[in-house]
Amino acid sequence: MTKRDSATGAIHPVILSGGSGTRLWPLSRECRPKQLHCLIGSESLLQETAARAAEWSAPLIVSNEEHRFQIAEQMRQAGIAPRALIIEPSARNTAPAAAVAALLLAEEDPSARMLVMPSDHAIRDVAAFRAAVEACAAAVGDDRLACLGVTPTRPHTGYGYVERTPEPVAPGVASIVRFVEKPDAARAAEFIESGNFLWNAGIFLFPVAAYLDALAEYRPEMLELCHAAVEEGTRDLDFLRLAEAPFSRIDGDSIDYAVMEHAKDALVAELDAGWSDIGSWSSLHEESPSDPSGNALVGDVTAMDCTGSYLRSDSRLLVAIGLEDLVVVAEDDAVLVARKGEDQRVKDAVADLKARGRKEATLNTTSFRPWGTFQTIDEGPRFHVKHIMVKPGESLSLQMHHHRSEHWIVVEGTAEVTRDEDTFLLFENESVFIRAGQTHRLRNPGKLPLRLIEVQSGAYCGEDDIVRFTDEYGRIKVLSEK
């Protein structure tokens, strides 16, 4: 590696917002994973991560097709304008995601440092987090790679570990000896006893050019394909959509495996800031306020003679009696009941549901769209009933269905309806019938949310029975969204 004048390079946060969050099912699912939920406070984990990142500069966010509009809306709500929203055509793990971010940052600022972090972690002490990042940035110089390692609080078998040298190279920063995969209980206890091991938090700080140099040395094909995906990418509204052909050919890998385990003179900075990856319901319980009996009660919950349990209902009344060390999570279409010591197996249950073709494995009853949301109320072989909310000033696409008719009943707000050649207003308690084959559009011309009940009926009511003619969100070729 060549020396560069990057000792004062600015820190540019990169947030990786992929993953399916299956360990927090049934709340977290592929269509809306845990980072998009408000699990601890009034903001989602993604919003909290972006707020921490904005301490340095506007974050660059790497996501996927499914979540792009949800992320954009959450950033709008948080008042944070991302530097860029990069859309991956397929999941290829963290090393390629960081590579495309590095390539974009290198174009703007070759001396930049990139702070790469997951979107779904919680950090209680933001000031301590900032101090650890700044200490790490001061130590990396212009050509060293670094990660943040969490001060362990117990022999945890669910995390990977980073072994560091006993002697620091700077306050709170030491050289990395090795990375260790998730150990068994005995080895984890040995690690804690030694005092030289930290939990691997999956947070990295690199001089951008140094990371690209490392990829060129250890994974040149990955770097070449990432470069092609950026060069051949296209702008789509506020998104940078990576080119699918080269990106899909990447042999995906994590930053740890692709780069960090091979890097010479890599560093680890100790992070003691109340960190949690919220990797299970038990870990969320630890981060949540509890009553004197150790119960975390979230939502419409009544508990009698319960101890040490996490009880959550986001949709209806949950009554728990005489429970001990259990997790009970009730959604409107699924309920999870698990012993806290067994909740790491939730992802196995989700895999089983997915193998059996159960839509509950991946889909919530509420679906998020750039114009608003719709929630399934009831459905059967020839009907589908939805509660639709359209945000002020937003509009659905001009569209047509071959196999179903739709009946819209406005319950709040004002709707502007286009049906074939006619455009007219509907007010509260008014309705309209859209026959199969008719061209139609729904728009909210008001300043308050528009809410209506939609009753679909016909031979087929699937979301792929749609032909779009115009769309404000560039979804003409996408047939799986309303």
Side-chain angles (χ1 to χ4, degrees):
M1 297 184 182
T2 58
K3 290 285 184 180
R4 303 172 190 86
D5 185 19
S6 62
T8 59
I11 296 175
H12 298 280
V14 175
I15 300 174
L16 306 183
S17 186
S20 56
T22 55
R23 289 181 292 179
L24 290 186
W25 184 91
L27 177 66
S28 173
R29 310 188 197 184
E30 284 185 16
C31 67
R32 191 169 174 84
K34 68 175 181 176
Q35 66 265 26
L36 300 177
H37 290 275
C38 302
L39 295 180
I40 299 173
S42 60
E43 293 186 315
S44 71
L45 295 177
L46 171 65
Q47 289 172 321
E48 291 179 352
T49 302
R52 291 194 296 269
E55 292 284 325
W56 289 283
S57 64
L60 188 155
I61 302 176
V62 185
S63 181
N64 58 32
E65 182 83 22
E66 178 77 19
H67 307 144
R68 67 196 191 282
F69 289 117
Q70 296 182 62
I71 289 173
E73 174 62 16
Q74 290 204 356
M75 291 300 95
R76 185 196 66 78
Q77 292 173 356
I80 297 172
R83 175 187 299 267
L85 287 169
I86 302 173
I87 307 302
E88 294 179 307
S90 55
R92 288 297 180 267
N93 215 318
T94 57
V100 298
L103 289 166
L104 291 173
L105 290 172
E107 293 178 359
E108 302 177 22
D109 180 8
S111 69
R113 302 157 188 270
M114 54 191 292
L115 173 63
V116 182
M117 66 190 93
S119 61
D120 57 356
H121 292 180
I123 293 177
R124 289 192 297 271
D125 191 340
V126 176
F129 172 73
R130 182 178 179 86
V133 171
E134 295 288 353
C136 188
V140 294
D142 56 10
D143 57 3
R144 299 181 81 171
L145 308 179
C147 67
L148 271 63
V150 172
T151 308
T153 57
R154 63 188 186 279
H156 205 299
T157 60
Y159 298 144
Y161 286 72
V162 184
E163 184 180 6
R164 58 183 171 174
T165 56
E167 295 298 324
V169 299
V173 183
S175 294
I176 293 175
V177 176
R178 58 172 174 153
F179 290 84
V180 184
E181 282 299 306
K182 299 175 183 178
D184 58 26
R187 291 190 74 206
E190 291 175 4
F191 292 167
I192 302 303
E193 181 69 21
S194 76
N196 295 328
F197 287 82
L198 303 171
W199 289 338
N200 186 355
I203 303 172
F204 304 91
L205 195 141
F206 309 134
V208 167
Y211 181 65
L212 295 176
D213 276 354
L215 280 177
E217 181 177 356
Y218 306 127
R219 299 296 293 271
E221 183 180 4
M222 177 187 292
L223 180 60
E224 180 182 350
L225 291 171
C226 285
H227 192 275
V230 172
E231 288 295 307
E232 299 169 21
T234 57
R235 290 284 176 180
D236 176 8
L237 300 176
D238 295 328
F239 309 105
L240 171 61
R241 192 181 295 276
L242 299 174
E244 182 174 2
F247 200 79
S248 64
R249 290 165 48 204
I250 295 173
D251 184 12
D253 211 344
S254 68
I255 294 172
D256 286 334
Y257 283 135
V259 172
M260 291 299 291
E261 291 191 357
H262 309 287
K264 303 175 182 64
D265 299 324
L267 302 175
V268 57
E270 184 167 3
L271 175 64
D272 188 2
W275 170 91
S276 173
D277 70 343
I278 314 292
S280 67
W281 287 111
S282 294
S283 62
L284 179 56
H285 188 184
E286 292 175 0
E287 300 299 320
S288 303
S290 295
D291 65 17
S293 297
N295 302 304
L297 310 179
V298 183
D300 194 1
V301 178
T302 295
M304 300 174 60
D305 299 323
C306 296
T307 57
S309 295
Y310 184 90
L311 308 174
R312 182 185 190 111
S313 177
D314 293 329
S315 59
R316 62 197 67 192
L317 173 63
L318 170 63
V319 178
I321 302 173
L323 303 184
E324 181 178 355
D325 293 334
L326 290 185
V327 172
V328 181
V329 180
E331 293 292 296
D332 52 6
D333 63 338
V335 178
L336 168 71
V337 181
R339 293 192 181 278
K340 286 172 59 179
E342 300 288 330
D343 63 352
Q344 289 285 351
R345 297 173 59 191
V346 171
K347 61 181 180 180
D348 299 326
V350 175
D352 178 69
L353 292 172
K354 197 170 183 179
R356 292 192 281 126
R358 295 296 300 253
K359 65 181 181 181
E360 295 92 342
T362 57
L363 300 176
N364 298 94
T365 58
T366 298
S367 296
F368 291 79
R369 297 293 184 259
W371 45 260
T373 63
F374 68 83
Q375 180 183 18
T376 294
I377 299 173
D378 196 8
E379 61 182 322
R382 293 183 60 88
F383 73 94
H384 193 168
V385 183
K386 298 178 178 178
H387 170 204
I388 295 177
M389 186 280 290
V390 184
K391 294 181 291 188
E394 301 295 337
S395 172
L396 281 68
S397 59
L398 183 66
Q399 58 187 251
M400 180 268 288
H401 310 295
H402 290 292
H403 304 291
R404 70 173 185 258
S405 299
E406 296 179 343
H407 190 184
W408 296 340
I409 307 101
V410 176
V411 295
E412 184 179 358
T414 301
E416 180 185 283
V417 177
T418 296
R419 183 177 60 183
D420 286 341
E421 303 301 322
D422 299 326
T423 298
F424 51 92
L425 296 179
L426 280 185
F427 301 97
E428 291 184 13
N429 300 320
E430 295 183 339
S431 63
V432 64
F433 179 71
I434 309 293
R435 190 178 61 251
Q438 286 189 307
T439 301
H440 59 279
R441 188 205 308 268
L442 177 65
R443 190 175 79 86
N444 180 359
K447 296 182 178 180
L448 298 174
L450 164 65
R451 301 182 185 278
L452 62 132
I453 301 299
E454 177 183 84
V455 181
Q456 303 175 357
S457 60
Y460 179 68
C461 297
E463 287 301 312
D464 55 350
D465 176 22
I466 180 171
V467 177
R468 285 197 178 89
F469 301 102
T470 62
D471 182 71
E472 296 179 3
Y473 313 107
R475 300 173 300 157
I476 296 299
K477 295 182 180 180
V478 180
L479 302 181
S480 61
E481 299 181 27
K482 185 170 180 65

